[in-house]
Structures are given as structure tokens and as C-alpha cells.
Amino acid sequence: MTPEAGFRLRHKHLLGIEPLDADEVRLILDTTESFLEISQRPIKKVPTLRGRTIVNFFMEPSTRTRSSFEIAEKRLSADSLNFSAAGSSVSKGESLIDTARNLEAMAPDMIVVRHSAAGAPHLLARVCRSTIINAGDGAHEHPTQALLDAFTMRQKKGRIDGLEVAIVGDLLHSRVVRSNIFLLKKLGAKVRVSGPPTLVPPGLHRLGVEVRTHMEEALEGVDVVMMLRVQQERMLGGAFPSLREYFNLYGLTEERIKLAHRDVIVMHPGPLNRGVEIAAEVADGPYSVILEQVTNGVAVRMAILYLLSGGVVGELAA
Ligand code: NCD
């Protein structure tokens, strides 16, 4: 069911998927359709956020998420500032709260934050007046990634309700898997997860997913396969014997794809480790929607920025 005209988000911040209800998720996905259309025009700019200031506060490396937010802000005519740990006073030892209070003193309307600590955006939401958007906090949540993933699934499959989705890989370090599970369960999809037992967080099954140790069982008949990156920078070593062994057991190959539904789509949030969690032929092959996820990411972030600035369904500036 599509939300009625006039419906708006009931939240000031986007800290995660968990606090949203199913209607709010649908509102964001429906609003994204309009922004995707704007992104396909020869002139991709609308005056919606003219005069608003947005700070992109990235304390961890990022390529897609950061450039996607920046393009989304530019297409909405907002003024944006990029702020990262390297080259800032954070490298001189300034605390997160002090840095945020100083940024806040410059009166931004929104702060988009990525941080290695789970809960950092929630802390900022308590001490700052600005709207806070979580662009990934530790291994906790990455709400805009889950929204762009859901948008892509709905675009390709026509629905989320009843879809069988397998999420495979390094589940332990992934904020993407948590946000995806919250969202997919809210909209009625069935989720199976698989990864080496050393990379499955204890208690994951309590989120309402089936945990399958063998990747083959997880892939059986699924409509969507989402592969996750092996996050070697967060491992102290020892989670699995070698990258070759990992690929042999959990790499998505053309052979393994045959186990899924014949119209399966293959997703990955990026960055890819080719030959580790996914074979190059699969990443570049006919089932892959990986670059479409990136395209949709800009439209999803435009929708989020619009809705959190008080935007209302059916009143989008043309
Ligand atoms: C992910 C992240 O940073 O959480 N990437 C992304 O935002 N597209 C996943 C990852 O780093 O593997």
C-alpha cells in the first residue's frame, strides 16, 4: 500500500532502519522514484534544499556513500561541506563531541556522519540541534545502504513481500547486513544468511533470519543474493585459513548461481574483493545489479534529505 499524500516522516533523524515503521520505509522508497526521474534529466538539479547547509562528517574511509551523499546534496541545491578525520583536529586528539559542537556552532541544518564506533550518530543526535543522518556506524547500522538495496530489489522484482533473500559473507563486521535484515523483515521478505561460523555474530538468528553454514543451502531457490565484503581491515587474523579457502567455500561463482532462482539478482554494497567473495565473471555478469545499486543510492539519499527537511509526499518541487 502506498502512503497517502501528506504523509511525512515522524523522525527528526535517520539513525537506523530499526526505529522506522513499514509505512515510513515505503514512503522513502516511493519518494525515491521521483528523485530517480530527476537524476535522469539533462539538468539534474532542483531548488528543494536551496539555502540549507549540510556537513558530511566522515571519520572512516568511504567512496560510494560519501560521493553519493555529496551528489545528492548538489542535485538538491544544498550547500555542503566535506569534513574527514585526516587533516582535521580529530587527528590532534579532539573528541567526537567537541568536534561536533564546533561544527554545530556554524549552524548546519544536517550532519551526515560515518564513524567506526557503533552509536556515534545517536550520541550526536543527543548533543546537536541539527538533523543527524547515519552513513554507517561501526558494525551497527547503515540505513541508507539498506534503503537503496530495497529500492533496487523492488525495482527489479516488483515487490519485497515474499522475496527469498540470501545474504552471504562476513556477517560479523557488517552494518549492511543488520540494516538489511531490519528492513527486509519489516516489508515481509524471508532472509537466510550464511558465512564461516567465525564470521557469524552470536544471536543473529534472533533477528528472525535462518543461519545456514553451507553457502549452497543458503542459495537454494533464492530471488536475491547479496554478497558482503570480507572486511580484512577489521580482522586480527585467524577468522579463516586463507583467501583461497574462503573463495572455495563462500565465493559466489557462476556454478553456485545455478542453485538460485533462474531470475536471481546479484547485489553487493561495494567495495568488491574480486576473487574473494565474488568471482569477477559474476560481478560483471548478467545477474549483477551492483552498479544500479550505486545509481539508485543517489536518488535514495535525495529522498532522505528531502523528507528529513520536512518534505511531504506529493509536494515535491519540480
Ligand atoms: C559498506 C560499508 O562501509 O559499510 N560499504 C558501503 O557503504 N557501500 C560495506 C563495506 O565496507 O564492505
Side-chain angles (χ1 to χ4, degrees), residues 25-66:
V25 172
R26 284 189 207 105
L27 165 68
I28 297 167
L29 300 183
D30 291 347
T31 309
T32 299
E33 306 274 0
S34 314
F35 287 108
L36 193 61
E37 187 271 312
I38 290 170
S39 295
Q40 286 155 352
R41 295 179 187 171
I43 295 172
K44 302 172 178 59
K45 210 171 169 87
V46 287
T48 318
L49 293 190
R50 195 162 53 199
R52 310 272 181 133
T53 310
I54 304 178
V55 174
N56 299 315
F57 183 35
F58 276 64
M59 296 291 109
E60 260 198 341
S62 172
T63 306
R64 269 151 295 273
T65 306
R66 181 173 164 154

Side-chain angles (χ1 to χ4, degrees), residues 64-65 114 142 145 175-176 229 231 269-271:
R64 269 151 295 273
T65 306
R114 165 166 290 195
H142 191 350
Q145 180 68 45
R175 46 199 171 213
V176 175
R229 182 174 69 91
Q231 301 196 21

Side-chain angles (χ1 to χ4, degrees), residues 61-318:
S62 172
T63 306
R64 269 151 295 273
T65 306
R66 181 173 164 154
S67 38
S68 182
F69 267 109
E70 201 181 333
I71 290 186
E73 290 154 9
K74 287 188 169 25
R75 289 189 181 162
L76 292 171
S77 308
D79 296 312
S80 58
L81 169 87
N82 290 323
F83 184 90
S84 56
S88 77
S89 289
V90 173
S91 59
K92 298 182 188 169
E94 189 170 55
S95 76
L96 172 66
I97 290 190
D98 281 337
T99 309
R101 285 209 169 111
N102 279 274
L103 284 174
E104 170 103 327
M106 300 178 210
D109 297 286
M110 299 192 199
I111 302 177
V112 178
V113 56
R114 165 166 290 195
H115 202 282
S116 58
H122 307 69
L123 185 65
L124 294 190
R126 285 219 305 274
V127 299
C128 296
R129 282 181 305 275
S130 318
T131 284
I132 305 294
I133 299 175
N134 182 357
D137 63 324
H140 180 223
E141 278 229 42
H142 191 350
T144 57
Q145 180 68 45
L147 287 161
L148 76 89
D149 292 338
F151 183 83
T152 308
M153 287 181 213
R154 200 174 77 161
Q155 184 185 50
K156 298 287 164 194
K157 297 281 166 197
R159 68 195 164 108
I160 303 272
D161 189 28
L163 281 185
E164 296 273 0
V165 180
I167 307 180
V168 182
D170 178 355
L171 305 164
L172 182 64
H173 300 103
S174 180
R175 46 199 171 213
V176 175
V177 72
R178 292 174 60 86
S179 289
N180 261 289
I181 292 173
F182 292 137
L183 193 157
L184 291 168
K185 301 296 299 176
K186 279 180 208 286
L187 294 196
K190 295 200 197 104
V191 184
R192 308 169 197 173
V193 298
S194 181
T198 47
L199 293 178
V200 178
L204 194 61
H205 63 278
R206 284 202 289 272
L207 299 182
V209 299
E210 278 181 49
V211 181
R212 308 237 170 128
T213 305
H214 295 287
M215 182 184 187
E216 287 74 14
E217 287 171 20
L219 296 183
E220 202 79 55
V222 290
D223 303 295
V224 178
V225 181
M226 183 182 296
M227 299 305 297
L228 299 174
R229 182 174 69 91
V230 175
Q231 301 196 21
Q232 294 176 75
E233 77 279 16
R234 299 189 208 266
M235 289 178 202
L236 298 171
F240 50 85
S242 69
L243 293 177
R244 182 198 290 259
E245 183 114 8
Y246 185 90
F247 183 70
N248 285 341
L249 292 175
Y250 293 100
L252 188 62
T253 58
E254 284 180 325
E255 208 44 45
R256 286 195 171 121
I257 293 260
K258 292 184 189 139
L259 298 167
H261 191 278
R262 62 186 161 79
D263 295 325
V264 67
I265 56 169
V266 172
M267 307 179 75
H268 192 306
L272 305 179
N273 285 316
R274 288 170 182 260
V276 179
E277 70 267 359
I278 190 165
E281 314 82 81
V282 175
D284 303 329
Y287 302 109
S288 170
V289 297
I290 296 172
L291 291 177
E292 284 154 280
Q293 289 174 262
V294 179
T295 302
N296 291 337
V298 175
V300 161
R301 290 171 177 123
M302 289 172 79
I304 295 290
L305 294 167
Y306 167 73
L307 291 168
L308 288 177
S309 68
V312 170
V313 178
E315 289 180 12
L316 189 58

